[in-house]
Amino acid sequence: MSTSAGADGANGVRGSGADEEDVQTRVTTARPTEVSKLDRVVIRFAGDSGDGMQLTGDRFTSEAAAFGNDLATLPNFPAEIRAPQGTIPGVSSFQVHFADYDILTPGDRPDVLVAMNPAALKANIGDVPKGGMVIVNTDEFTKRNLGKVGYDTDPLSDDSLSAFEVYEVAMSTLTQGALADSGLGKKDAERCKNMFALGLLSWMYHRPTDGTETFLREKFAAKPQIAEANILAFRAGWNYGETTEVFRTTFEVAPAKLPKGTYRQITGNTALAYGIVAAGRLSGLQVLLGTYPITPASDILHELSKHKNFGVITFQAEDEIAGIGAALGASYGGALGVTSTSGPGIALKSETIGLGVMIELPLVVIDVQRGGPSTGLPTKTEQADLLQAMYGRNSESPVPIVAPRSPADCFDAALEATRIALTYRTPVLLLSDGAIANGSEPWLIPDVETLPDLRVRFASEPNALDGSGEFWPYVRDPETLAREWAVPGTPGLQHRVGGLEKADGKGNISYDPDNHDRMVRLRQAKIDGIDVPDVEVDDPSNGEARVLALGWGSTYGPIGAACRRLRRKGIPIAQAHLRHLNPFPANLGEVLRSYDTVVVPEMNLGQLATMLRAKYLVDVHSHTKIAGLPFKAEELEHVFTDIAHRTANKEAVVK
C-alpha cells in the first residue's frame, strides 16, 4: 500500500495541511490483525461502463464524507450510453481521494486500483505507482476478454504486475454464491459484484456500512428483492475481507480537522442548483429554469425540478434556443430567468444572450464546459469556452463572466452571478466545467443569515425625464448604469423592448448614429463598472516569490497543490485565482506587474493568457493542456519548478 508523508503544508482553502500528492512510500504489511494509520488515500474503481463504478465510487465517497474525511472525487466515464463491453473505450472509473487534512485535488495517482476486468486494468495500470495495491476480479480475465484489449498473455500470471501488490479476488463467483438463495438469476446476481467490491473496500478502510445499506433500500424501494441482493453482496464483500487471510492489513484514515459546522458531500451541479434556489429566496423572485438536457449540465435541471416548493419552475424545452427564450421571457415578466447548457448550447443561445444585452434584463446563463469543438468529448472536462463567453456574439455585446473554482464554490458563484445580473440588469455567464460539475467535496452549509441580500426594487411610477408622465425604460441608475425594471401590467408603466437599437432614455427604436455610439458605450461602461472584489494573492514568502501562478475555474486545486509542493522544497511561489473574468478585478494589473514571471495553466490553448496580454501588456507564460482530463499536481509542480529556476537565474544574470 502506498501513502504520503503528511508533513504540514501551507495555505489550503480550509486551513493548512500536507500536500495531497507527495512522494509515494511503501507501507509494509505484517500480521493479519495489523491496522495501518494513514493520512490520505486515493482509490480508483474501474470497470465496464455497465459495472456500476460511478455508483460504487459515489457510495464510498458518501461514507467517507459521513465519517468526516476531507475528500475530492474525479468521475470518468464514456459518452456512449452503452459502450462496447470489455473494451478500453468502454471503461468507466471513479477516483476518490480522502484524507485527515484539507486536500485540493482528487489525487494524481491511485494508491489502490480496483479493476473489474482486463480493460479496466490496462486503461488504468499506468497511473498506479510502484508498490501500489491492485485488486482484480479474476473471473473476467478470460482468454476472450484478454484478447479484446490486446493482452497476449494473462498479466496476472506473466509477472508484468510484479511491481505492484496484487490481490486476485473472484468477485463474480463469490457474489453469485452469496446470492444463491436470493431468487435472482445468475446474470442478475452477477450484476451485484460492484457492491461486493464496495463491501471489501469498506472493510479494508473501516468505512461505516449503515448508510450504504439504507441507501440501497431507498434506491430500490420499488424492487425490494434487488435491494436485498445488493445488500447481501455488500455484506459478502465485507465478510470476505474479514474472514480471509489474503489481506493482512487494514487501514484507517482519521476524520479531518475542518472548521466547525454542518457539512455534506456535494457535487458542482448540485451546488449550482442549490445556489439558484437560494438566489430565488434571497431575491424574493420566482425562478424559472428554461433549459434543454445536455451533458454535463443536465443534473442542474434534474435537481432544480425537485424544488417546486421553493418557487422554482423548471421548463424542459424542445431545444437550446427555446430554453433560453423562456428564461429571458421570465425575466421580462419579473422573475429570475436561468438557463443551463454546455459549449455547443452556448453557440445556439448566443443570439438570445445578445437580445438580453440589448433589452438589459437579468439572466443567469450556466455553461458547464466540456471537450469540443462541436459535440467533441461530451463526458470529458475542458475550460475552452472563455473566449466564446467573452466575445461569442455579434457586435459589441459585453457580458460579465463568473467562474467557480471547485464543486462547493459553485453555490457562492451562483449567488454572485445572480447578484450581478439583478443589480446591473444584464445576462451573466457562469463558467463551470465537467470536472467541477461531476466532482464532489465536503460543503460547509452556510448560515442563512450570512447570505447576501438580493432583493430588487421594481419600477413603480413614471420616470420620464421630460416630465411627460411616461415610463422610459432606459433611464439609468447613476451608480450602476442599470436601467429600471418594470413588470408588464404595472399601471402607467407601459413600455416596449426588443432587439432593435434603443433611443437613450425613452427606449424608442432609433437608427441615429450618435445614439447608437452612445448606447454601445453605455452598455460597455455598465459592465466595466461592475463592483467585483480585488484578487487576493496567497504568498507566504512575504514578498520573496518572483513567480505568480494564476488560474481560473477548476485549475484551482492542482495549482494550489503544486504550489504547496514547491514551498515545502523551499521554492517561494505566489498563487492567485480569478473568479471574475469580466470585468477583471481592479487590482489585477498591479498584481501581475508585481512579479517577474506570471504562469497561467489552462485547459485550453491559452485563452485567459491571451486576454491578460491584450489588456495589461504583460507577457504571461501560458501552460496548456486540452486532453479531457484535469491537470495533475505533479505536472504543474515540474512546470512551476522549472519556471522558478529560470526566473531566479535570469534575475541573477541581471544583477
Side-chain angles (χ1 to χ4, degrees), residues 549-566:
L550 179 68
W552 69 279
S554 63
T555 59
Y556 175 80
I559 290 175
C563 287
R564 287 181 177 183
R565 292 183 177 194
L566 264 68

Side-chain angles (χ1 to χ4, degrees), residues 360-384:
E360 300 189 45
L361 284 174
L363 178 68
V364 177
V365 181
I366 300 171
D367 176 7
V368 185
Q369 301 165 96
R370 71 189 203 188
S374 188
T375 45
L377 305 173
T379 61
K380 309 302 179 184
T381 194
E382 203 167 278
Q383 51 175 184

